[in-house]
Amino acid sequence: MPETKILLQESEIPERWYNIMADMPNLPAPPLHPATGQPVTPDALSAIFPPALIEQEATRERWLEIPEEVRELYRLWRPSPMYRAHRLERALDTPARIYYKYEGVSPAGRHKLNTAIPQVYYNRAAGIKRIATETGAGQWGSALSMACQFFGLDCTVYMVKVSYQQKPYRRILMSTFGAEVIASPSDRTQAGRTVLAEHPDSLGSLGIAISEAVEDAAGRADTNYALGSVLNHVCLHQTVIGLEAKRQLEKAGEYPDVVIGCCGGGSNFAGLAFPFLADKLTQGKALRAIAVEPEACPTLTRGKFAYDFGDIAQLTPLLQMYTLGHTFVPAGIHAGGLRYHGDSPLVSQLYHDGWIEAVAYGQTQVFAAAVQFARTEGIVPAPESAHAIRAAIDEALKCRESGEPKVILFGLSGHGHFDLAAYETYLAGDLEDVPLSENALAEGLSHLPVVR
Ligand SMILES: *Cc1c(COP(=O)(O)O)cnc(C)c1O
């Protein structure tokens, strides 16, 4: 039997990130200032981001060097393993060859440390002492608090109140890594106080928490803001995933026909797919890349390609992206990391121009795939990652029909050890699908800003 686990040497950790903006025929439209509607100047961004990240946000340089100190920390868990899913293939009786790249081996249990580390590195280099951020269920917050601890920065995390109260484990993880964790909405910011004045019992949302963190960072010279997805520099940092995966498949003598990733803000999908899409953009490779989202938050498949805010208080720049509207609050599905109203402008532009595909699934189908994967491959996947598994299984089943031995690569962005309550609900038969109604879709889109 061919190899199951494809490993790289430490020396094979990429030395450079891949910037897809070098190869895109159409670049994303420029971000606009939330108040003036004019393109944002680097100066305006410098209130919340360090210079290196502002530059990475816009550069068209194809390769950007990964600082040695960042590679040193990447060595804690990188290169991450790639597996051939032999037992899953047999269970599906498919001629397809299925590979997955596993980011759950990181100390944060997911891909987010790939960008948390360089973001904190560049902030420290700029003399910043403290970082403010938001977190939903605590996935980004725990990665960032760990990275801040490594570099000696303070970390304040505004955590969506409902998760703060109901999902204590990642909150405790963040405290363990030394972060200050605040339930959002809070009385620490104007944005939080405004919400609380109107809705004292508000359980919060990611949009509100972003508003609080941005306000906190903008108001203090020693503090910057950090975002765990969506932005160009985040997608850039995540390309270590795809660059390693390319090398691993090369070792196995393979090249993928299909690359699949789950898509919340788009960063793990981008990280895996962009280095392969480079071959499609520059050499015309016939490669399919599929972004997978929940039907409760179907940003690419049902959203609108338009300028929108990243947050409810309209503090962030306007980004042109697929969006369900900045006021949209998705149903409380278990894949919390996929509940964002917008999407990466890079992923959005590539989708708009037909370079990538998108598909949406309900959570019962997703958990069925997650359980089948756990039982064949031995890894309990994060509910987010299970969206990619669902799509990979469906592609493999199509191969069973057609008899084509396609090579399928998917990203397993994290493990589900903090999500076992969701598994319990599924196993008890109590999990429900919550597709987005046409009315809720129209309501969310009716609040898109008018851009002249
Ligand atoms: C946060 C998260 C996601 C969603 O974020 P992207 O930016 O779309 O990658 C996906 N999977 C896991 C495990 C996550 O923690």
Side-chain angles (χ1 to χ4, degrees):
M1 173 172 294
E3 263 182 308
T4 293
K5 191 173 179 187
I6 307 158
L7 297 175
L8 297 176
Q9 304 292 321
E10 264 184 33
S11 60
E12 292 175 281
I13 295 173
E15 291 176 4
R16 299 175 301 174
W17 292 299
Y18 167 64
N19 176 18
I20 200 165
M21 284 190 279
D23 295 321
M24 285 170 72
N26 298 316
L27 287 179
L32 304 180
H33 193 283
T36 65
Q38 294 302 306
V40 191
T41 58
D43 221 32
L45 290 174
S46 68
I48 55 170
F49 291 120
L53 294 179
I54 294 171
E55 196 180 315
Q56 289 179 1
E57 202 51 28
T59 180
R60 292 199 75 178
E61 194 91 41
R62 181 172 285 105
W63 296 102
L64 294 163
E65 197 177 324
I66 305 177
E68 192 44 47
E69 221 177 318
V70 171
R71 289 185 79 231
E72 189 58 45
L73 285 169
Y74 277 174
R75 278 190 195 102
L76 286 174
W77 76 97
R78 307 211 71 85
S80 68
M82 172 178 284
Y83 295 92
R84 168 95 183 260
H86 289 297
R87 282 175 309 277
L88 177 63
E89 289 170 19
R90 277 200 299 277
L92 299 171
D93 190 23
T94 175
R97 300 194 291 283
I98 307 175
Y99 293 85
Y100 57 96
K101 175 77 167 158
Y102 185 39
E103 291 295 309
V105 293
S106 115
R110 53 234 323 110
H111 63 292
K112 290 187 169 74
L113 216 43
N114 294 331
T115 184
I117 287 172
Q119 287 195 45
V120 179
Y121 168 85
Y122 290 119
N123 274 291
R124 191 199 55 182
I128 290 298
K129 304 279 185 256
R130 176 175 170 269
I131 295 190
T133 196
E134 76 288 336
T135 199
Q139 299 155 340
W140 167 241
S142 47
L144 190 73
S145 41
M146 183 183 298
C148 281
Q149 195 55 234
F150 288 157
F151 288 104
L153 272 70
D154 290 336
C155 185
T156 294
V157 182
Y158 292 88
M159 184 175 191
V160 176
K161 194 172 280 175
V162 63
S163 303
Y164 184 96
Q165 291 169 347
Q166 293 176 5
K167 297 189 175 168
Y169 291 123
R170 284 206 196 83
R171 165 165 61 75
I172 298 165
L173 198 56
M174 289 185 273
S175 302
T176 305
F177 288 128
E180 177 190 27
V181 188
I182 296 168
S184 165
S186 76
D187 58 9
R188 292 272 287 256
T189 64
Q190 190 55 52
R193 288 189 292 272
T194 304
V195 174
L196 287 174
E198 243 179 86
H199 309 282
D201 299 327
S202 166
L203 292 176
S205 73
L206 208 52
I208 297 171
I210 295 177
S211 302
E212 291 207 271
V214 169
E215 183 185 324
D216 179 324
R220 278 179 61 166
D222 68 346
T223 302
N224 267 348
Y225 168 72
L227 192 62
S229 186
V230 177
L231 298 180
N232 302 349
H233 66 263
V234 180
C235 296
L236 173 79
H237 301 155
Q238 293 294 354
T239 60
V240 287
I241 303 172
L243 292 167
E244 285 179 6
K246 252 179 129 166
R247 238 170 155 141
Q248 284 162 311
L249 281 185
E250 237 166 66
K251 281 199 171 177
E254 300 273 34
Y255 191 88
D257 296 293
V258 191
V259 178
I260 299 170
C262 67
C263 191
S267 74
N268 89 88
F269 168 77
L272 180 67
F274 284 4
F276 291 99
L277 282 167
D279 301 338
K280 184 168 182 168
L281 289 162
T282 63
Q283 301 161 34
K285 279 265 192 192
L287 165 93
R288 292 171 59 212
I290 308 175
V292 191
E293 52 188 23
E295 66 175 18
C297 191
T299 314
L300 291 170
T301 48
R302 290 174 70 195
K304 203 170 158 189
F305 188 55
Y307 270 109
D308 196 8
F309 297 100
D311 68 326
I312 184 108
Q314 311 188 350
L315 291 176
T316 71
L318 291 158
L319 300 176
Q320 188 174 62
M321 58 184 174
Y322 280 87
T323 178
L324 297 164
H326 60 278
T327 57
F328 176 73
V329 180
I333 53 165
H334 290 285
L338 305 184
R339 292 176 70 241
Y340 187 63
H341 69 270
D343 238 319
S344 143
L346 291 172
V347 170
S348 295
Q349 187 69 48
L350 289 164
Y351 181 65
H352 192 66
D353 292 341
W355 292 101
I356 64 174
E357 303 167 30
V359 62
Y361 286 110
Q363 61 179 352
T364 53
Q365 296 169 282
V366 167
F367 272 84
V371 169
Q372 183 171 34
F373 183 79
R375 290 178 183 177
T376 49
E377 294 297 311
I379 298 173
V380 177
E384 292 85 359
S385 319
H387 286 72
I389 298 174
R390 176 75 264 167
I393 288 177
D394 284 0
E395 286 297 319
L397 291 175
K398 278 187 224 159
C399 291
R400 181 168 77 189
E401 298 306 310
S402 68
E404 285 173 287
K406 284 192 183 166
V407 175
I408 298 169
L409 168 66
F410 73 86
L412 190 62
S413 50
H415 67 64
H417 296 175
F418 288 121
D419 303 285
L420 293 176
Y423 278 88
E424 185 176 41
T425 306
Y426 171 75
L427 294 170
D430 293 337
L431 196 67
E432 281 174 11
D433 285 324
V434 275
L436 177 62
S437 72
E438 283 301 328
N439 279 349
L441 177 66
E443 157 64 20
L445 294 176
S446 71
H447 298 284
L448 289 179
V450 181
V451 175
R452 284 165 293 275

